[in-house]
Amino acid sequence: MVLEGNPEVGSPRTSDLQHPGNKGSCVLSSGEGAQPDEEPIKYGELIVLGYNGCLASGDKGRRRSRLALSRRPHANGVKPDVMHHISTPLVSKALSNRGQHSISYTLSRSHSVIVEYTHDSDTDMFQIGRSTENMIDFVVTDTSPGGGAAEGPSAQSTISRYACRILCARRPPYTARIYAAGFDASSNIFLGERAAKWRTPDGLMDGLTTNGVLVMHPAGGFSEDSAPGVWREISVCGNVYTLRDSRSAQQRGKLVEDESNVLQDGSLIDLCGATLLWRTPAGLLRAPTLKQLEAQRQEANAARPQCPVGLSTLAFPSPARGRTAPDKQQPWVYVRCGHVHGYHGWGCRRERGPQERECPLCRLVGPYVPLWLGQEAGLCLDPGPPSHAFAPCGHVCSEKTARYWAQTPLPHGTHAFHAACPFCGAWLTGEHGCVRLIFQGPLD
């Protein structure tokens, strides 16, 4: 793949490069100690923000809202091996072997550097990108704010066809590392003449992709005590850099030597058009299950909350209905104050905007929206009760979950950041981005 524009490339660490005479074996190993009937070891799961458990068109094959990465029957990882200096016109001939993974750095019209990669029996490689070719394990498309994929011929994607790759160690502790760019159908990564790339102090090469792969590791892990971390950029060779001035700027950021490309529970991966959440198996054990979320829904409905004005009984609809038109018993909320009502048509303040309503209890004017339960359990920090809603979309989750995502800035465009609802991708508004729900009845 040719990365034109601004790839900034990080170099392979010296310890990762082997002497040309020590080229690794290309014999693929089988899963160590795995029995035919055993469940494969799971490295972790990737969850795309903004879909609430399922793509609008349904999860199909490699195009889905959530993907588990498990140990493969045979290792397919690769690692840097030999570096060649070659005349640029001869690059295509040098890369004609499809079985040989390599990264090509075009320095000028007459000079290129090719780093060959060799088979690594200790890792499994998973590739993520917009391409539907077979070498891509997880097909990701652009997510529009408010939920759903950007579709149609007019929607130009900013996600690379071969956006990034994750290498997972096949032995405990099953460390997962992320790298910018993925190998194409010819097993190559090309960094063209206009791509940002550089020589490292030890004489190796590195670079960044055009729109970059950004990663943020939460402080304190992904738990009740979590706080957002700092966004960084990951290079083609897995090194960590501060952010560029804008997403595709030519000048790379500064190398952050005390941070690594190892994914942690709750790490966010931004591909410039879609943001993914990495969950570890241990972290998912602390997250609520779908059964727990359903039990919370039934418990909330069993309390028979009422509309304080219309006195009608409210009930959260079953997730099986999907997010279509609101149900007659659907709870609605005034997102500025949190008072929960049934649907009604009065209190409009059209001079303030088409969605503006005046709460009959406290007289605050603001958006009035239906409440929807968050159904993607992997986005939740804890199994707490559904007590808070994001503003202005109305997705409901626990207090800890709501407050964490409301203070987590997600990349948008070339240099902007916005907090967004993790269930639909809508940008959050208001002072806090979420509101405590005030029910009439036992729930309060």
Side-chain angles (χ1 to χ4, degrees):
M1 107 182 148
V2 180
L3 297 177
E4 298 292 353
N6 303 296
E8 292 218 352
V9 195
S11 58
R13 295 176 174 82
T14 308
S15 59
D16 291 335
L17 290 173
Q18 299 179 340
H19 187 275
N22 296 333
K23 204 164 185 177
S25 168
C26 288
V27 179
L28 295 175
S29 65
S30 59
E32 295 84 356
Q35 300 300 319
D37 297 332
E38 285 184 2
E39 283 282 326
I41 292 172
K42 184 161 71 173
Y43 299 129
E45 293 193 18
L46 290 168
I47 303 170
V48 186
L49 302 190
Y51 291 103
N52 202 20
C54 184
L55 298 181
S57 58
D59 287 352
K60 302 170 185 175
R62 294 172 293 139
R63 191 192 297 269
R64 52 201 313 110
S65 66
R66 181 172 183 158
L67 182 73
L69 274 53
S70 300
R71 188 163 67 176
R72 299 182 184 275
H74 304 283
N76 73 332
V78 293
K79 57 186 176 183
D81 185 18
V82 186
M83 186 166 71
H84 303 282
H85 292 262
I86 193 169
S87 172
T88 297
L90 299 177
V91 167
S92 59
K93 184 177 180 180
L95 301 178
S96 60
N97 181 4
R98 289 196 169 211
Q100 176 71 60
H101 287 79
S102 62
I103 300 181
S104 171
Y105 304 87
T106 302
L107 304 182
S108 68
R109 293 184 178 181
S110 60
H111 183 204
S112 292
V113 174
I114 296 177
V115 178
E116 291 185 355
Y117 279 63
T118 188
H119 173 67
D120 183 1
S121 61
D122 294 326
T123 61
D124 286 332
M125 182 170 66
F126 302 89
Q127 300 208 133
I128 305 162
R130 175 171 50 87
S131 172
T132 57
E133 296 173 272
N134 290 335
M135 81 290 302
I136 297 298
D137 299 284
F138 194 14
V139 179
V140 179
T141 54
D142 296 70
T143 303
S144 301
E151 299 176 350
S154 62
Q156 185 175 359
S157 177
T158 52
I159 300 175
S160 171
R161 290 181 299 159
Y162 318 103
C164 68
R165 62 197 190 278
I166 294 175
L167 266 67
C168 300
R170 291 172 61 85
R171 297 182 177 87
Y174 307 113
T175 302
R177 295 180 178 273
I178 185 168
Y179 302 80
F183 294 98
D184 63 15
S186 300
S187 302
N188 301 315
I189 295 173
F190 290 94
L191 295 172
E193 189 174 354
R194 290 182 294 169
K197 53 197 171 297
W198 61 91
R199 291 181 184 275
T200 62
D202 50 7
L204 304 176
M205 297 297 299
D206 201 359
L208 304 175
T209 56
T210 304
N211 290 327
V213 174
L214 309 187
V215 171
M216 188 271 279
H217 305 301
F222 198 66
S223 65
E224 297 181 18
D225 301 321
S226 292
V230 179
W231 283 98
R232 303 295 193 196
E233 182 160 11
I234 303 297
S235 73
V236 169
C237 295
N239 294 304
V240 182
Y241 291 85
T242 60
L243 301 187
R244 290 176 268 182
D245 290 338
S246 66
R247 196 69 187 245
S248 57
Q250 288 286 340
Q251 182 62 42
R252 70 178 184 269
K254 295 180 180 179
L255 178 67
V256 184
E257 297 189 35
D258 59 347
E259 296 182 20
S260 77
N261 61 339
V262 174
L263 295 177
Q264 307 168 15
D265 187 43
S267 292
L268 289 171
I269 305 165
D270 188 81
L271 304 180
C272 194
T275 305
L276 284 62
L277 173 69
W278 172 258
R279 296 304 312 267
T280 63
L284 288 171
L285 289 177
R286 297 190 296 268
T289 64
L290 289 178
K291 286 185 177 180
Q292 286 176 310
L293 293 180
E294 175 60 16
Q296 290 178 350
R297 183 187 75 86
Q298 294 183 11
E299 182 180 353
N301 290 344
R304 299 180 63 82
Q306 287 189 326
C307 173
V309 177
L311 301 181
S312 58
T313 300
L314 309 177
F316 288 102
S318 168
R321 286 186 64 249
R323 181 166 178 168
T324 54
D327 188 82
K328 288 183 179 180
Q329 290 185 289
Q330 187 116 6
W332 287 63
V333 66
Y334 289 90
V335 296
R336 282 196 63 195
C337 59
H339 285 117
V340 179
H341 291 251
Y343 179 76
H344 54 74
W346 27 264
C348 296
R349 292 291 181 269
R350 299 197 184 281
E351 71 277 6
R352 301 276 294 271
Q355 303 298 323
E356 300 293 298
R357 298 283 190 92
E358 182 181 87
C359 174
L361 297 184
C362 67
R363 300 299 182 185
L364 277 178
V365 177
Y368 175 62
V369 299
L371 292 175
W372 305 91
L373 290 173
Q375 290 299 315
E376 179 49 81
L379 301 176
C380 301
L381 274 74
D382 66 342
S387 60
H388 284 63
F390 289 108
C393 61
H395 277 102
V396 181
C397 59
S398 70
E399 178 181 5
K400 295 284 188 181
T401 299
R403 295 199 184 282
Y404 174 77
W405 288 108
Q407 62 181 342
T408 300
L410 300 179
H412 171 72
T414 58
H415 57 269
F417 289 82
H418 293 282
C421 170
F423 300 108
C424 71
W427 295 349
L428 301 184
T429 60
E431 183 179 355
H432 303 292
C434 61
V435 63
R436 184 176 72 89
L437 298 176
I438 303 173
F439 288 88
Q440 176 75 23
L443 278 181
D444 191 29

